[in-house]
Amino acid sequence: MRSSKRWVKLTAVAAAAMLALSACGGGNGDGEDDTTDTTTTTEDSGDGDNGAPAGQINLGVAYETTNYDPSTTSSALAMGSNWHVVEGLYEFDMATYEVYPALADGEPVEVTDTEYEITLRDGAKFSDGTDVTTEDVLESWARTTDETSIYKQFFTFIDTVEAKDDKTITVTLDYPFAGLADRLVNVKIIPASSTQDEMTAFPVGTGPFKYTEISNTAIEAVPNEHYNGSKPAQVELMHWDVLKDDSARLSAALGGTIDVMETVPSSTKDQLSGAGWTLDEVPGYNNAFLMFNTSKDPFGDAEVRRAFHQAIDRQGLVDNALAGDAIVSTSFLPESNPMYTEAATQFDYDSDAAAQIFADAGLTEVTLIATDHPWVSNLTPQIRQDLEAAGLTVNVQSMASGDLYANFADVDNPTYDVALAPGDPSVFGQDPGIIIDWWYGDNVWTQQRTSWAVTAPEAFQQLQDISAEAAQLTGDEATAKWAEALDLISEEAPVFPLFHRTMITGFNMDKLDNVDGIGTTGLELVGATVKN
């Protein structure tokens, strides 16, 4: 196992960087069609000796979606494939969370501590051959920060983004902020002339690859002949097979029809490594969380919410359902995050104490709605058993992620009790501000899904104030302030992870070179090569 994440500094921003997240948390437009193995293979072509792209890489991915729009999607599949096709002004190396200039020609230039200028890469073009101008940047900014956008909450510190000329934008901040470039990673630049429907179905970007096919079962991308950045495509074809079922991905890997396997189940590691595959294991943020409807008694009581975590043998879940490939949560952030601190409130396993809290609250029966992701479904038998041992009658309803949110959480006046679902905003960066704001900002999570901002307005505002202050600090001061936020989240727990998973990616290293697993959902193979 290795942990390759690290903080990085951008000298022009003059402060420690923090960031990089991966998405998936529901309500992101993911399609729910059954996946079908339509794997195609081609012989490796070319030898790469002349520097030209050579060969084909086949990826078996664990998620599906119908929304590829860079300004609205949070799908693990779309995020992962878009990393190869669309660029922000800055991008992350997802294996390290190191930020580098992508569509920008260098780091942000500081004019004052609240004003920066960023120049576009000279000669940059979209894959359709049209020149990139600041008009495209401004339109992309507008879409990403639209009132309805899930990304809007990441940019509350920015006052204005304006064009200085066709090649330079000026960014004005409300207050000094250390991680400007890191946050701008999440603004992907698309043509101003495009429509949202066009970008949802088939994005056009400035990255090293361009899409040639997007369907419910497969994606293909080839080198973008107009790309002039620092990370050109190294292979002739990238082919993604949508294989949501774990056994389908494993069969494809063992059968030789894929070269990369996303989200290798712990139970299949020995089988895959025995077949000669290399497994890259990276501690990450990906988790299964409990989400409570705080507008419904007694789930508005923080003590009751905490009791659910006390009632569940979380180490048992990790050991039995995940074969030890996770770490029980001792904080909202994983231990791999540089701003991690152990929360003041811990959920040590204590079934008797939880039973007393449930009895005092008059809670005797609960309905747990859960997504049908295979690894999540593996958790529900023990969770049900543990809650029943604490005196509850437990009804479990398993369903597609899209149905859970559309039919239960994203409705007026939700009536559900407790939800179990997976999430991972670390596709967007490691920055604690992003990870916390994803679930605890002024958004659909707090206003509707949990209703926590409505039922506990003072605690909600306290967290917003702490987060805003922490975002302006660096070093030990930032760590101390983020610790206050982590303590408050652990105490309130309207959404809280049971554990943080180790992300396991399988590679056929007999064929591939220059590949790394990442600590979040999605696959990034920018720069990957096929061996001669």
Side-chain angles (χ1 to χ4, degrees):
M1 181 182 298
R2 68 177 181 85
S3 179
S4 59
K5 297 182 182 178
R6 65 177 185 269
W7 281 134
V8 180
K9 289 189 178 181
L10 276 183
T11 55
V13 184
M18 8 167 173
L19 324 138
L21 309 167
S22 116
C24 279
N28 52 26
D30 282 0
E32 296 301 326
D33 294 339
D34 291 338
T35 56
T36 304
D37 185 353
T38 59
T39 303
T40 59
T41 60
T42 62
E43 294 297 323
D44 296 343
S45 57
D47 59 18
D49 290 343
N50 60 2
Q56 172 174 334
I57 298 179
N58 301 302
L59 302 84
V61 293
Y63 300 91
E64 59 186 3
T65 190
T66 56
N67 179 14
Y68 291 83
D69 179 16
S71 65
T72 63
T73 191
S74 65
S75 154
L77 174 56
M79 294 288 293
S81 61
N82 279 349
W83 286 331
H84 302 78
V85 173
V86 294
E87 296 178 294
L89 294 170
Y90 301 91
E91 287 295 326
F92 289 122
D93 176 338
M94 293 303 297
T96 63
Y97 284 118
E98 181 175 356
V99 67
Y100 63 89
L103 197 50
D105 184 21
E107 300 167 357
V109 176
E110 182 177 333
V111 179
T112 70
D113 62 359
T114 58
E115 183 178 335
Y116 292 85
E117 290 184 354
I118 301 171
T119 302
L120 296 178
R121 187 173 71 222
D122 189 44
K125 296 179 181 292
F126 290 106
S127 59
D128 62 5
T130 58
D131 292 335
V132 181
T133 71
T134 49
E135 180 183 359
D136 301 305
V137 177
L138 295 184
E139 176 62 21
S140 301
W141 167 257
R143 295 188 193 188
T144 305
T145 58
D146 183 80
E147 286 296 326
T148 61
S149 172
I150 58 172
Y151 294 97
K152 181 179 184 293
Q153 61 199 346
F154 298 164
F155 303 102
T156 55
F157 65 96
I158 294 180
D159 182 22
T160 60
V161 176
E162 299 175 325
K164 180 178 180 180
D165 52 44
D166 284 348
K167 292 295 182 182
T168 307
I169 64 166
T170 299
V171 182
T172 304
L173 313 182
D174 287 327
Y175 47 80
F177 186 82
L180 174 61
D182 301 63
R183 290 292 179 99
L184 290 177
V185 167
N186 294 299
V187 181
K188 306 301 184 185
I189 309 305
I190 46 86
S193 60
S194 67
T195 66
Q196 187 167 350
D197 286 344
E198 290 170 340
M199 293 300 98
T200 296
F202 208 89
V204 172
T206 61
F209 290 88
K210 63 180 180 181
Y211 287 121
T212 57
E213 176 190 345
I214 296 178
S215 72
N216 288 336
T217 57
I219 303 168
E220 290 195 344
V222 299
N224 171 12
E225 66 271 28
H226 299 290
Y227 179 75
N228 69 342
S230 62
K231 298 182 179 293
Q234 300 297 311
V235 296
E236 290 179 300
L237 180 66
M238 296 280 289
H239 178 93
W240 290 260
D241 275 313
V242 179
L243 304 170
K244 184 178 177 182
D245 184 74
D246 290 345
S247 61
R249 292 197 310 286
L250 179 63
S251 295
L254 298 176
T257 56
I258 61 173
D259 310 306
V260 184
M261 179 175 171
E262 181 181 21
T263 314
V264 175
S266 300
S267 60
T268 66
K269 288 197 306 182
D270 290 345
Q271 191 174 359
L272 201 58
S273 60
W277 278 54
T278 296
L279 302 181
D280 207 350
E281 305 184 37
V282 185
Y285 190 82
N286 188 259
N287 67 80
F289 60 83
L290 292 181
M291 176 173 71
F292 297 88
N293 177 6
T294 68
S295 67
K296 184 175 183 180
D297 288 334
F299 308 110
D301 185 340
E303 185 178 35
V304 170
R305 299 193 294 266
R306 294 193 300 268
F308 272 79
H309 288 272
Q310 286 181 281
I312 298 169
D313 181 3
R314 297 178 297 154
Q315 188 61 55
L317 281 179
V318 169
D319 293 340
N320 299 323
L322 298 170
D325 290 324
I327 299 174
V328 170
S329 301
T330 55
S331 179
F332 193 70
L333 295 179
E335 294 180 15
S336 58
N337 190 291
M339 290 292 164
Y340 163 86
T341 56
E342 182 176 301
T345 300
Q346 292 296 307
F347 307 128
D348 296 332
Y349 177 48
D350 192 334
S351 182
D352 291 340
Q356 187 61 57
I357 293 169
F358 293 150
D360 291 345
L363 182 64
T364 59
E365 185 173 359
V366 65
T367 296
L368 177 71
I369 57 174
T371 68
D372 63 357
H373 298 87
W375 69 271
V376 175
S377 296
N378 289 340
L379 304 174
T380 55
Q382 184 192 314
I383 290 175
R384 166 186 257 165
Q385 177 180 319
D386 288 348
L387 292 175
E388 288 180 342
L392 298 181
T393 298
V394 182
N395 307 300
V396 177
Q397 297 179 16
S398 180
M399 64 198 74
S401 178
D403 291 338
L404 185 148
Y405 289 97
N407 299 329
F408 291 88
D410 293 345
V411 297
D412 293 335
N413 303 313
T415 60
Y416 78 92
D417 295 341
V418 186
L420 172 69
D424 188 354
S426 65
V427 287
F428 308 121
Q430 273 190 313
D431 181 353
I434 284 183
I435 294 176
I436 290 173
D437 280 353
W438 181 257
W439 277 301
Y440 280 94
D442 188 5
N443 56 34
V444 67
W445 291 93
T446 57
Q447 296 291 347
Q448 187 171 27
R449 291 175 178 174
T450 67
S451 298
W452 183 64
V454 178
T455 60
E458 292 183 0
F460 170 76
Q461 189 56 54
Q462 182 183 2
L463 182 59
Q464 308 315 301
D465 293 342
I466 293 172
S467 296
E469 184 177 350
Q472 301 176 55
L473 302 173
T474 59
D476 292 344
E477 289 184 332
T479 302
K481 184 55 66 172
W482 284 122
E484 293 181 26
L486 298 175
D487 287 347
L488 179 57
I489 290 171
S490 183
E491 181 180 346
E492 290 287 324
V495 175
F496 202 86
L498 296 168
F499 48 74
H500 294 108
R501 296 174 72 200
T502 295
M503 302 305 294
I504 309 170
T505 307
F507 296 103
N508 177 6
M509 296 306 295
D510 288 339
K511 178 178 178 179
L512 304 177
D513 230 337
N514 301 314
V515 295
D516 285 296
I518 62 177
T520 185
T521 50
L523 294 172
E524 184 200 49
L525 282 93
V526 175
T529 57
V530 173
K531 293 179 178 177
N532 295 338

